[in-house]
Amino acid sequence: MTTNNDIWLETSTREEWLEVRRMGIGGSDAASVMGLTGYEETYVDSQGETRTTKPYGYIQTPFFTWLEKRGEIVKTFDENRIEIELGTTMEPRILREFEMRTGEKLLPKPSILRHKTYPFIQASLDGWTRDTIVEAKWGRWTPKWGDDGSDVVPLNYWMQGQHYMLATGYRRVVIIALLYSSEGLGFRTYNIFADDEWHEACIERYSAFWDAVTTGTPPALFNLNDLNYRFPVARPLSKIEATEPILDALTDLRRLKIQQSEIEASITERKTDIFQFMEDNEALTYNGTLLATYKNTRRGNRVFNIK
């Protein structure tokens, strides 16, 4: 077993683990630091329809990851506490499935691993053998998951696997996933192999990001949420001279706001026509095909949905 790692850190409590985790870039940070926030890709589904897919779950902006690593905010897990608790409960069962499927026993693992050359590259693994990293995942099946035995996984999970291989020097990650869908619940196994070009890109991006953390230089702001957090209060009587690109942006914004008002007025007009026609009926059909519904919610208000 050859690894890039010669720093093994043990932590005795979750609080201590979280504090050590803050001192480097971990696998769950990889997609954020590598700029996956807001990423979209298109694919053609089994019916030949072109659809747009986003990463599996929420990807934090680099700025908020920077704030966490700086200790300026503390990440809370209250909003997805139930999901995290279920994942913690399911992980040992999923890892046992790996052992049963392969006949291999997982090795004892440290709490945190650090790359010996770039110690800010950290890894907290679910499991490992002498030549394979094992990651346990569970959740709802989506088209981002490929066939059992393939290498098709959600992009952020692929990045996480590559991060762990970069941190440890391993060349293979097995993701064993317990996924549920309308067809039921079942295990799938995916094989991810090291991508050296991606690792080089990671080292470059990670190094720049960690330098920004240590120097206190914020990374580029991604969206309005980043901007509102970074600049929550205007300085009284302050001003800044507009540049040509900003003048162009203002012109475009004025034009778009006019178009938005016109579109919203048209939407209201069309809805009025449809609602007057539907009266107190809750479904609109044509030749037996459901076109739209206008149903009451539990609170009593009617909600319109186009099928």
Side-chain angles (χ1 to χ4, degrees):
M1 176 174 61
T2 302
T3 74
N4 287 333
N5 179 276
D6 63 358
I7 305 176
W8 289 27
L9 301 177
E10 295 291 350
T11 56
S12 56
T13 65
R14 177 168 175 77
E15 289 71 23
E16 185 180 350
W17 178 82
L18 289 171
E19 179 59 24
V20 172
R21 180 181 177 275
R22 188 180 67 80
M23 297 165 59
I25 301 169
S28 60
D29 304 317
S32 171
V33 175
M34 294 303 291
L36 192 58
T37 311
Y39 177 85
E40 294 183 348
E41 61 181 339
T42 58
Y43 68 96
V44 179
D45 67 14
S46 59
Q47 306 301 316
E49 296 289 333
T50 300
R51 300 187 181 277
T52 300
T53 183
K54 297 181 179 181
Y56 198 86
Y58 170 72
I59 306 298
Q60 186 167 258
T61 64
F63 174 64
F64 272 88
T65 300
W66 177 87
L67 287 171
E68 286 178 10
K69 303 305 179 183
R70 292 277 301 167
E72 297 185 26
I73 62 172
V74 177
K75 187 171 187 175
T76 62
F77 298 93
D78 293 343
E79 69 278 4
N80 57 351
R81 176 180 54 82
I82 294 176
E83 182 178 346
I84 290 174
E85 289 178 354
L86 284 173
T88 301
T89 301
M90 297 299 297
E91 182 180 303
R93 173 63 185 90
I94 296 172
L95 294 176
R96 284 200 303 273
E97 182 70 19
F98 169 83
E99 291 180 325
M100 289 188 293
R101 286 189 171 205
T102 64
E104 294 187 77
K105 292 292 292 181
L106 294 173
L107 301 173
K109 61 185 178 74
S111 298
I112 300 284
L113 298 170
R114 280 181 170 172
H115 193 289
K116 63 183 178 182
T117 305
Y118 305 98
F120 53 82
I121 300 178
Q122 298 185 157
S124 181
L125 310 179
D126 291 342
W128 63 351
T129 69
R130 292 193 62 81
D131 59 6
T132 302
I133 294 170
V134 183
E135 275 295 294
K137 301 294 183 186
W138 85 279
R140 181 174 56 87
W141 182 89
T142 76
K144 302 177 185 71
W145 292 102
D147 294 333
D148 188 23
S150 72
D151 63 353
V152 180
V153 300
L155 185 54
N156 39 322
Y157 290 165
W158 182 87
M159 287 185 177
Q160 184 180 32
Q162 293 297 333
H163 176 93
Y164 289 153
M165 287 185 279
L166 171 60
T168 64
Y170 274 49
R171 306 295 294 174
R172 177 175 177 245
V173 170
V174 170
I175 296 178
I176 182 159
L178 179 58
L179 303 175
Y180 63 88
S181 67
S182 58
E183 299 179 356
L185 180 69
F187 287 99
R188 297 190 184 197
T189 300
Y190 301 90
N191 296 283
I192 313 298
F193 295 95
D195 185 323
D196 292 328
E197 289 187 9
W198 180 257
H199 292 178
E200 291 177 7
C202 285
I203 290 174
E204 181 178 352
R205 184 73 69 91
Y206 288 174
S207 297
F209 178 83
W210 200 251
D211 183 63
V213 171
T214 56
T215 60
T217 307
L221 304 181
F222 178 79
N223 55 25
L224 290 177
N225 191 41
D226 284 3
L227 286 161
N228 290 333
Y229 191 95
R230 180 79 174 87
F231 306 108
V233 179
R235 290 179 287 112
L237 304 179
S238 60
K239 61 183 179 180
I240 187 171
E241 190 75 9
T243 61
E244 289 297 328
I246 293 301
L247 289 174
D248 291 341
L250 279 171
T251 300
D252 285 344
L253 183 58
R254 292 190 186 99
R255 174 179 54 80
L256 291 170
K257 288 181 74 67
I258 293 172
Q259 291 178 354
Q260 182 183 34
S261 297
E262 293 173 347
I263 290 172
E264 289 174 350
S266 297
I267 289 174
T268 299
E269 183 179 348
R270 298 298 179 270
K271 281 186 175 181
T272 300
D273 293 340
I274 295 169
F275 296 168
Q276 284 181 341
F277 177 80
M278 292 183 70
E279 296 182 339
D280 58 354
N281 294 284
E282 71 170 21
L284 180 67
T285 63
Y286 185 74
N287 289 337
T289 300
L290 181 64
L291 301 178
T293 60
Y294 194 23
K295 297 181 178 181
N296 289 96
T297 66
R298 292 181 179 179
R299 295 183 177 180
N301 57 309
R302 294 179 75 179
V303 175
F304 183 66
N305 285 306
I306 300 175
K307 302 300 180 179

